Amino acid sequence: MLLVSFAWGLCVSWTQFQANLVFIVDAGVFDYLGAGPLHGHFFRSPLAWDLEASYLGAHFRPIFLLFTPFYLIHDGMMTYLTIQNLALVMMGLPLGILARRVTGNDYAALAIVFLFQTNHFVGRIHLSNHVEAVALVGMMTMFLAVHLRNWWLHGLAMLWVLSVKEDFGLWIMFYGI
């Protein structure tokens, strides 16, 4: 189911991009940040390449360092869209494990993941093309880790979320409260 969801998300995202229906300001900046180190532009947005300024002055998003190796395979917007879709689909993995543990039923867990992956909200996130969507798999993993009482997994998921954007620390704090 997750593979079908991934393929469908890619089809929709790539079609939207080809039809110029992607919010290119954000998606373009994120694409350049992921590919930038391969071209000598370490954390420089395309809007600031002629300036002595770094993108890190605006936002702290070290997650892009994990994206860069994928740009060795293909250097283009499709790479960013693929990474975002992969992260969104991977939300189903911790959700499915958590649902199975809570319900004790494989079919109920599958139904929950199916309903989550196919709801309008997740569909809109696929089309938002914003890097914050990548943090959601970490948030879902944090929920699972707390249920499992696995503090190592919780810590890794929390680091993932914090690497996406600096203000996710507030969301983690609210979650903790």
Side-chain angles (χ1 to χ4, degrees), residues 14 17-18 31-32 34-36 38-39 67-83:
W14 290 359
F17 175 70
Q18 295 298 326
D31 176 54
Y32 279 114
L38 299 178
H39 305 288
F67 293 1
T68 300
F70 293 100
Y71 282 90
L72 292 169
I73 300 168
H74 175 73
D75 190 357
M77 179 68 72
M78 301 303 186
T79 302
Y80 172 71
L81 296 175
T82 302
I83 293 168

Side-chain angles (χ1 to χ4, degrees), residues 6 23 31 40 42 49 63 66 73 92 95 101 104 116 118 124-125 132 141 146-147 169-170:
F6 179 65
F23 187 58
D31 176 54
F42 183 75
W49 279 354
I63 194 78
L66 295 178
I73 300 168
L95 176 63
R101 289 182 58 88
F116 182 79
T118 59
R124 294 303 300 162
I125 293 172
E132 279 85 349
T141 303
V146 168
H147 181 77
L170 294 172

Side-chain angles (χ1 to χ4, degrees), residues 84 119-129:
Q84 176 186 318
N119 76 53
H120 177 72
F121 174 72
V122 174
R124 294 303 300 162
I125 293 172
H126 272 281
L127 298 177
S128 71
N129 302 311

Side-chain angles (χ1 to χ4, degrees), residues 78-146:
M78 301 303 186
T79 302
Y80 172 71
L81 296 175
T82 302
I83 293 168
Q84 176 186 318
N85 278 294
L86 179 62
L88 286 169
V89 168
M90 292 308 294
M91 283 191 303
L93 205 55
L95 176 63
I97 294 168
L98 182 60
R100 194 163 118 230
R101 289 182 58 88
V102 170
T103 65
N105 186 323
D106 291 340
Y107 296 112
L110 186 63
I112 289 169
V113 173
F114 176 77
L115 291 173
F116 182 79
Q117 288 287 332
T118 59
N119 76 53
H120 177 72
F121 174 72
V122 174
R124 294 303 300 162
I125 293 172
H126 272 281
L127 298 177
S128 71
N129 302 311
H130 213 273
V131 74
E132 279 85 349
V134 175
L136 298 177
V137 67
M139 297 291 273
M140 200 66 73
T141 303
M142 286 173 56
F143 296 142
L144 173 64
V146 168

Side-chain angles (χ1 to χ4, degrees), residues 8 25-26 39 75 90 96 115 124 141 149-151 172:
W8 177 252
V25 174
D26 284 339
H39 305 288
D75 190 357
M90 292 308 294
L115 291 173
R124 294 303 300 162
T141 303
R149 298 183 188 271
N150 185 331
W151 306 115
I172 292 171

